[in-house]
Amino acid sequence: MIPYGRQDITQADIDAVVSVLESDFLTQGPMVPRFEQRIAQHVGVNHALAVNSATSALHIACLALGLQKGDWLWTTPITFVASANCGLYCGAQVDFVDIDPRTYNLCPKALALKLEQAEKNGRLPKVLVAVHLCGQPCDMQAIHAMAQRYGFKVIEDASHAIGGKYQGEFIGNCRYSDVTIFSFHPVKIITTAEGGMALTNHAELANQMNLLRSHGITRDPAQMTHESDGPWYYQQIDLGFNYRMTELQAALGFTQMERLDQYVARRHQLAKRYDDLLVALPVTTPWQHPESYSGLHLYVIRLQLDKFGKSHRNVFERLRELGIGVNLHYIPVHTQPYYQRMGFNAGDFPESERYYEEAISLPMFQTMTEEQQDEVVEALGATLS
């Protein structure tokens, strides 16, 4: 089976992890700060905080931005459920903005219309989570302008997008957002096995997220309510969580970062080759915005179902039978039973639902060979014929 994504682990990665295993620190040592500094320098942001998952990063970002009961978080339906669930964790309510039919990201025009109506109804969002689907950035300049006008905060869910660029600058620099989130799950562009990171240019947000990732505990005398009792002393000054990243994970991520640009460049080579090989098939290949340089975590095609006599499910299952590990990213969040119990219904976000009816993620990973890619295309062509 050719997987839709997979990690690339080198001897340098293994040596780095073994070195930590042989050191004095398996957690809360020097590697996590080194990894954070490495990413912050690479993308050009002031603060980077490593955590145990991107979901945890989304959660503490929402809390640091003050999201709470009575507030609204908006995001796109075409994302993993974590992009919406983070609002629910804070007691807020969640709503969605339909996608752009070309980028599959949150549509700025739909957002503008929804904000205009929400202002009249007194239901403006406090936080918007803009998801860079497949690694292609949203129209962040337009989103930022609307955030300034309507007064909401912006989180970039860049779980797919490390190594990508927007307007010539690395995603993660938070030029148009309050916080950016990265994911280091094994199928992502670089991995720490499990892990995530929250990035910001605001010292106050960084300090708050730092507290929240480690039980709300501080050893900084400047943050304490009274003079320290001694060198052993700490205070819990907020209700936080155990969201820390381990030294083992950070060591793996640090060495993976050495190959980040190489990984993304290889994904672009594979995507271009897919574009060329699929041109004669009844599928729509991914459109790339000229102002973006996608991280290309995923290569999603849309089936032109009116041009052949098979269903979406038929094609998906046949490709799996042929050893092609296709996947589908994602099931629209508002169609999930948990969200339907909140009042969402099929038909609420039609562009997202059309996408779901046609989308298939083809295998895409940095060590993929041209022979494997040819096998994918051959199987797809035979299935659609």
Side-chain angles (χ1 to χ4, degrees), residues 235-264:
Q235 284 187 350
Q236 182 187 344
I237 59 174
D238 204 340
L239 180 61
F241 309 88
N242 186 4
Y243 283 172
R244 295 188 302 266
M245 176 178 281
T246 69
E247 291 288 281
L248 300 170
Q249 293 168 302
L252 176 57
F254 188 88
T255 58
Q256 290 262 309
M257 276 296 293
E258 299 299 317
R259 305 189 298 279
L260 173 61
D261 293 342
Q262 169 191 330
Y263 283 167
V264 177

mmCIF file of all heavy atoms in Angstrom, residues 235-264:
data_model
loop_
_atom_site.group_PDB
_atom_site.id
_atom_site.type_symbol
_atom_site.label_atom_id
_atom_site.label_comp_id
_atom_site.label_asym_id
_atom_site.label_seq_id
_atom_site.Cartn_x
_atom_site.Cartn_y
_atom_site.Cartn_z
ATOM 1 N N GLN A 235 4.405 28.930 42.164
ATOM 2 C CA GLN A 235 3.007 29.258 42.417
ATOM 3 C C GLN A 235 2.157 28.872 41.214
ATOM 4 O O GLN A 235 2.573 29.065 40.061
ATOM 5 C CB GLN A 235 2.821 30.757 42.662
ATOM 6 C CG GLN A 235 3.269 31.235 44.017
ATOM 7 C CD GLN A 235 2.889 32.694 44.259
ATOM 8 O OE1 GLN A 235 2.451 33.415 43.360
ATOM 9 N NE2 GLN A 235 3.050 33.136 45.508
ATOM 10 N N GLN A 236 0.956 28.345 41.499
ATOM 11 C CA GLN A 236 -0.039 28.198 40.440
ATOM 12 C C GLN A 236 -0.868 29.473 40.422
ATOM 13 O O GLN A 236 -1.592 29.771 41.373
ATOM 14 C CB GLN A 236 -0.957 26.995 40.674
ATOM 15 C CG GLN A 236 -1.966 26.835 39.538
ATOM 16 C CD GLN A 236 -3.012 25.767 39.791
ATOM 17 O OE1 GLN A 236 -2.857 24.934 40.671
ATOM 18 N NE2 GLN A 236 -4.082 25.813 39.003
ATOM 19 N N ILE A 237 -0.767 30.215 39.321
ATOM 20 C CA ILE A 237 -1.478 31.490 39.232
ATOM 21 C C ILE A 237 -2.595 31.456 38.194
ATOM 22 O O ILE A 237 -3.295 32.441 37.991
ATOM 23 C CB ILE A 237 -0.502 32.652 38.928
ATOM 24 C CG1 ILE A 237 0.236 32.432 37.615
ATOM 25 C CG2 ILE A 237 0.483 32.827 40.078
ATOM 26 C CD1 ILE A 237 1.107 33.619 37.210
ATOM 27 N N ASP A 238 -2.771 30.320 37.526
ATOM 28 C CA ASP A 238 -3.876 30.144 36.588
ATOM 29 C C ASP A 238 -4.195 28.655 36.538
ATOM 30 O O ASP A 238 -3.424 27.820 37.035
ATOM 31 C CB ASP A 238 -3.487 30.663 35.193
ATOM 32 C CG ASP A 238 -4.692 31.060 34.354
ATOM 33 O OD1 ASP A 238 -5.822 30.607 34.667
ATOM 34 O OD2 ASP A 238 -4.516 31.807 33.381
ATOM 35 N N LEU A 239 -5.328 28.315 35.936
ATOM 36 C CA LEU A 239 -5.681 26.916 35.749
ATOM 37 C C LEU A 239 -5.156 26.479 34.391
ATOM 38 O O LEU A 239 -5.701 26.847 33.348
ATOM 39 C CB LEU A 239 -7.195 26.717 35.812
ATOM 40 C CG LEU A 239 -7.671 25.269 35.633
ATOM 41 C CD1 LEU A 239 -7.112 24.364 36.732
ATOM 42 C CD2 LEU A 239 -9.198 25.202 35.605
ATOM 43 N N GLY A 240 -4.058 25.711 34.402
ATOM 44 C CA GLY A 240 -3.441 25.272 33.158
ATOM 45 C C GLY A 240 -3.564 23.784 32.951
ATOM 46 O O GLY A 240 -4.359 23.097 33.607
ATOM 47 N N PHE A 241 -2.740 23.261 32.062
ATOM 48 C CA PHE A 241 -2.835 21.875 31.615
ATOM 49 C C PHE A 241 -1.440 21.281 31.499
ATOM 50 O O PHE A 241 -0.443 21.996 31.489
ATOM 51 C CB PHE A 241 -3.545 21.812 30.253
ATOM 52 C CG PHE A 241 -4.843 22.565 30.233
ATOM 53 C CD1 PHE A 241 -4.870 23.918 29.918
ATOM 54 C CD2 PHE A 241 -6.025 21.938 30.566
ATOM 55 C CE1 PHE A 241 -6.057 24.633 29.922
ATOM 56 C CE2 PHE A 241 -7.223 22.640 30.568
ATOM 57 C CZ PHE A 241 -7.244 23.987 30.256
ATOM 58 N N ASN A 242 -1.377 19.969 31.371
ATOM 59 C CA ASN A 242 -0.096 19.314 31.120
ATOM 60 C C ASN A 242 0.042 19.107 29.623
ATOM 61 O O ASN A 242 -0.196 18.024 29.103
ATOM 62 C CB ASN A 242 -0.021 17.982 31.866
ATOM 63 C CG ASN A 242 1.350 17.338 31.749
ATOM 64 O OD1 ASN A 242 2.269 17.904 31.169
ATOM 65 N ND2 ASN A 242 1.497 16.152 32.284
ATOM 66 N N TYR A 243 0.422 20.165 28.919
ATOM 67 C CA TYR A 243 0.509 20.164 27.462
ATOM 68 C C TYR A 243 1.958 20.256 26.980
ATOM 69 O O TYR A 243 2.211 20.599 25.829
ATOM 70 C CB TYR A 243 -0.273 21.348 26.891
ATOM 71 C CG TYR A 243 -1.782 21.191 26.870
ATOM 72 C CD1 TYR A 243 -2.591 22.272 26.536
ATOM 73 C CD2 TYR A 243 -2.404 19.986 27.173
ATOM 74 C CE1 TYR A 243 -3.972 22.159 26.486
ATOM 75 C CE2 TYR A 243 -3.785 19.862 27.136
ATOM 76 C CZ TYR A 243 -4.567 20.950 26.794
ATOM 77 O OH TYR A 243 -5.932 20.829 26.751
ATOM 78 N N ARG A 244 2.915 19.959 27.839
ATOM 79 C CA ARG A 244 4.319 20.154 27.468
ATOM 80 C C ARG A 244 4.782 19.148 26.413
ATOM 81 O O ARG A 244 4.310 18.016 26.350
ATOM 82 C CB ARG A 244 5.219 20.032 28.696
ATOM 83 C CG ARG A 244 5.019 21.115 29.746
ATOM 84 C CD ARG A 244 6.079 21.008 30.824
ATOM 85 N NE ARG A 244 6.058 19.715 31.473
ATOM 86 C CZ ARG A 244 5.399 19.442 32.595
ATOM 87 N NH1 ARG A 244 4.700 20.381 33.200
ATOM 88 N NH2 ARG A 244 5.434 18.230 33.124
ATOM 89 N N MET A 245 5.746 19.565 25.615
ATOM 90 C CA MET A 245 6.459 18.685 24.688
ATOM 91 C C MET A 245 7.666 18.098 25.407
ATOM 92 O O MET A 245 8.305 18.766 26.228
ATOM 93 C CB MET A 245 6.924 19.462 23.446
ATOM 94 C CG MET A 245 7.758 18.645 22.470
ATOM 95 S SD MET A 245 8.255 19.572 20.991
ATOM 96 C CE MET A 245 6.752 19.501 20.027
ATOM 97 N N THR A 246 8.020 16.845 25.081
ATOM 98 C CA THR A 246 9.187 16.207 25.703
ATOM 99 C C THR A 246 10.472 16.586 24.975
ATOM 100 O O THR A 246 10.450 17.067 23.828
ATOM 101 C CB THR A 246 9.046 14.681 25.691
ATOM 102 O OG1 THR A 246 9.155 14.219 24.337
ATOM 103 C CG2 THR A 246 7.732 14.229 26.292
ATOM 104 N N GLU A 247 11.596 16.326 25.636
ATOM 105 C CA GLU A 247 12.901 16.552 25.023
ATOM 106 C C GLU A 247 13.127 15.634 23.819
ATOM 107 O O GLU A 247 13.751 16.030 22.828
ATOM 108 C CB GLU A 247 14.004 16.301 26.058
ATOM 109 C CG GLU A 247 14.067 17.312 27.176
ATOM 110 C CD GLU A 247 14.594 18.653 26.693
ATOM 111 O OE1 GLU A 247 15.820 18.805 26.542
ATOM 112 O OE2 GLU A 247 13.761 19.549 26.461
ATOM 113 N N LEU A 248 12.599 14.413 23.896
ATOM 114 C CA LEU A 248 12.746 13.471 22.780
ATOM 115 C C LEU A 248 12.077 14.018 21.535
ATOM 116 O O LEU A 248 12.638 13.979 20.432
ATOM 117 C CB LEU A 248 12.118 12.124 23.154
ATOM 118 C CG LEU A 248 12.686 11.395 24.370
ATOM 119 C CD1 LEU A 248 11.803 10.214 24.730
ATOM 120 C CD2 LEU A 248 14.097 10.928 24.090
ATOM 121 N N GLN A 249 10.857 14.522 21.702
ATOM 122 C CA GLN A 249 10.125 15.075 20.566
ATOM 123 C C GLN A 249 10.842 16.296 19.989
ATOM 124 O O GLN A 249 10.949 16.451 18.770
ATOM 125 C CB GLN A 249 8.708 15.456 21.000
ATOM 126 C CG GLN A 249 7.834 14.276 21.368
ATOM 127 C CD GLN A 249 6.563 14.723 22.066
ATOM 128 O OE1 GLN A 249 6.603 15.391 23.101
ATOM 129 N NE2 GLN A 249 5.433 14.362 21.496
ATOM 130 N N ALA A 250 11.319 17.159 20.878
ATOM 131 C CA ALA A 250 11.989 18.374 20.421
ATOM 132 C C ALA A 250 13.275 18.057 19.669
ATOM 133 O O ALA A 250 13.608 18.710 18.667
ATOM 134 C CB ALA A 250 12.276 19.287 21.603
ATOM 135 N N ALA A 251 14.017 17.051 20.131
ATOM 136 C CA ALA A 251 15.252 16.663 19.445
ATOM 137 C C ALA A 251 14.952 16.172 18.032
ATOM 138 O O ALA A 251 15.667 16.510 17.073
ATOM 139 C CB ALA A 251 15.970 15.576 20.237
ATOM 140 N N LEU A 252 13.900 15.382 17.892
ATOM 141 C CA LEU A 252 13.501 14.912 16.568
ATOM 142 C C LEU A 252 13.088 16.081 15.685
ATOM 143 O O LEU A 252 13.508 16.185 14.522
ATOM 144 C CB LEU A 252 12.354 13.904 16.702
ATOM 145 C CG LEU A 252 11.743 13.369 15.411
ATOM 146 C CD1 LEU A 252 12.787 12.717 14.520
ATOM 147 C CD2 LEU A 252 10.618 12.382 15.735
ATOM 148 N N GLY A 253 12.286 16.983 16.232
ATOM 149 C CA GLY A 253 11.853 18.140 15.450
ATOM 150 C C GLY A 253 12.998 19.038 15.033
ATOM 151 O O GLY A 253 13.016 19.575 13.918
ATOM 152 N N PHE A 254 13.980 19.201 15.919
ATOM 153 C CA PHE A 254 15.126 20.064 15.620
ATOM 154 C C PHE A 254 15.888 19.558 14.405
ATOM 155 O O PHE A 254 16.249 20.329 13.510
ATOM 156 C CB PHE A 254 16.047 20.152 16.842
ATOM 157 C CG PHE A 254 17.143 21.163 16.709
ATOM 158 C CD1 PHE A 254 16.935 22.478 17.089
ATOM 159 C CD2 PHE A 254 18.381 20.816 16.188
ATOM 160 C CE1 PHE A 254 17.947 23.422 16.960
ATOM 161 C CE2 PHE A 254 19.400 21.740 16.051
ATOM 162 C CZ PHE A 254 19.178 23.060 16.440
ATOM 163 N N THR A 255 16.130 18.252 14.353
ATOM 164 C CA THR A 255 16.876 17.714 13.206
ATOM 165 C C THR A 255 16.010 17.674 11.952
ATOM 166 O O THR A 255 16.515 17.872 10.844
ATOM 167 C CB THR A 255 17.435 16.316 13.505
ATOM 168 O OG1 THR A 255 16.360 15.433 13.849
ATOM 169 C CG2 THR A 255 18.430 16.357 14.640
ATOM 170 N N GLN A 256 14.713 17.458 12.117
ATOM 171 C CA GLN A 256 13.812 17.499 10.957
ATOM 172 C C GLN A 256 13.816 18.887 10.308
ATOM 173 O O GLN A 256 13.717 19.016 9.088
ATOM 174 C CB GLN A 256 12.388 17.143 11.403
ATOM 175 C CG GLN A 256 12.190 15.684 11.797
ATOM 176 C CD GLN A 256 11.599 14.852 10.687
ATOM 177 O OE1 GLN A 256 10.583 15.206 10.099
ATOM 178 N NE2 GLN A 256 12.238 13.733 10.388
ATOM 179 N N MET A 257 13.936 19.923 11.124
ATOM 180 C CA MET A 257 13.941 21.294 10.598
ATOM 181 C C MET A 257 15.082 21.546 9.624
ATOM 182 O O MET A 257 14.982 22.401 8.736
ATOM 183 C CB MET A 257 14.026 22.298 11.748
ATOM 184 C CG MET A 257 12.693 22.640 12.389
ATOM 185 S SD MET A 257 11.545 23.465 11.253
ATOM 186 C CE MET A 257 12.394 25.022 10.983
ATOM 187 N N GLU A 258 16.172 20.806 9.783
ATOM 188 C CA GLU A 258 17.300 20.960 8.868
ATOM 189 C C GLU A 258 16.920 20.615 7.434
ATOM 190 O O GLU A 258 17.551 21.070 6.483
ATOM 191 C CB GLU A 258 18.469 20.069 9.312
ATOM 192 C CG GLU A 258 19.025 20.393 10.696
ATOM 193 C CD GLU A 258 19.562 21.812 10.768
ATOM 194 O OE1 GLU A 258 20.237 22.241 9.814
ATOM 195 O OE2 GLU A 258 19.295 22.483 11.785
ATOM 196 N N ARG A 259 15.841 19.829 7.267
ATOM 197 C CA ARG A 259 15.442 19.366 5.936
ATOM 198 C C ARG A 259 14.111 19.964 5.484
ATOM 199 O O ARG A 259 13.577 19.554 4.450
ATOM 200 C CB ARG A 259 15.367 17.832 5.931
ATOM 201 C CG ARG A 259 16.655 17.157 6.387
ATOM 202 C CD ARG A 259 16.658 15.657 6.171
ATOM 203 N NE ARG A 259 15.637 14.947 6.891
ATOM 204 C CZ ARG A 259 15.715 14.604 8.185
ATOM 205 N NH1 ARG A 259 16.766 14.952 8.910
ATOM 206 N NH2 ARG A 259 14.740 13.923 8.763
ATOM 207 N N LEU A 260 13.575 20.913 6.251
ATOM 208 C CA LEU A 260 12.246 21.444 5.949
ATOM 209 C C LEU A 260 12.143 22.019 4.537
ATOM 210 O O LEU A 260 11.244 21.651 3.767
ATOM 211 C CB LEU A 260 11.861 22.519 6.973
ATOM 212 C CG LEU A 260 10.554 23.276 6.672
ATOM 213 C CD1 LEU A 260 9.361 22.334 6.633
ATOM 214 C CD2 LEU A 260 10.343 24.380 7.708
ATOM 215 N N ASP A 261 13.036 22.905 4.175
ATOM 216 C CA ASP A 261 12.953 23.531 2.853
ATOM 217 C C ASP A 261 13.092 22.490 1.744
ATOM 218 O O ASP A 261 12.416 22.566 0.706
ATOM 219 C CB ASP A 261 14.026 24.613 2.706
ATOM 220 C CG ASP A 261 13.780 25.804 3.624
ATOM 221 O OD1 ASP A 261 12.633 25.966 4.108
ATOM 222 O OD2 ASP A 261 14.728 26.579 3.864
ATOM 223 N N GLN A 262 13.955 21.521 1.966
ATOM 224 C CA GLN A 262 14.146 20.430 1.002
ATOM 225 C C GLN A 262 12.854 19.616 0.863
ATOM 226 O O GLN A 262 12.452 19.245 -0.249
ATOM 227 C CB GLN A 262 15.287 19.534 1.487
ATOM 228 C CG GLN A 262 15.466 18.224 0.759
ATOM 229 C CD GLN A 262 16.442 17.301 1.486
ATOM 230 O OE1 GLN A 262 17.370 17.747 2.158
ATOM 231 N NE2 GLN A 262 16.222 16.009 1.366
ATOM 232 N N TYR A 263 12.208 19.344 1.980
ATOM 233 C CA TYR A 263 10.960 18.577 1.959
ATOM 234 C C TYR A 263 9.873 19.301 1.151
ATOM 235 O O TYR A 263 9.179 18.705 0.330
ATOM 236 C CB TYR A 263 10.451 18.349 3.378
ATOM 237 C CG TYR A 263 11.153 17.283 4.168
ATOM 238 C CD1 TYR A 263 10.944 17.180 5.541
ATOM 239 C CD2 TYR A 263 12.015 16.366 3.577
ATOM 240 C CE1 TYR A 263 11.565 16.195 6.297
ATOM 241 C CE2 TYR A 263 12.641 15.383 4.323
ATOM 242 C CZ TYR A 263 12.414 15.301 5.681
ATOM 243 O OH TYR A 263 13.029 14.334 6.429
ATOM 244 N N VAL A 264 9.725 20.593 1.412
ATOM 245 C CA VAL A 264 8.670 21.342 0.726
ATOM 246 C C VAL A 264 8.976 21.456 -0.760
ATOM 247 O O VAL A 264 8.075 21.330 -1.606
ATOM 248 C CB VAL A 264 8.475 22.729 1.370
ATOM 249 C CG1 VAL A 264 7.435 23.542 0.603
ATOM 250 C CG2 VAL A 264 8.047 22.586 2.827
#
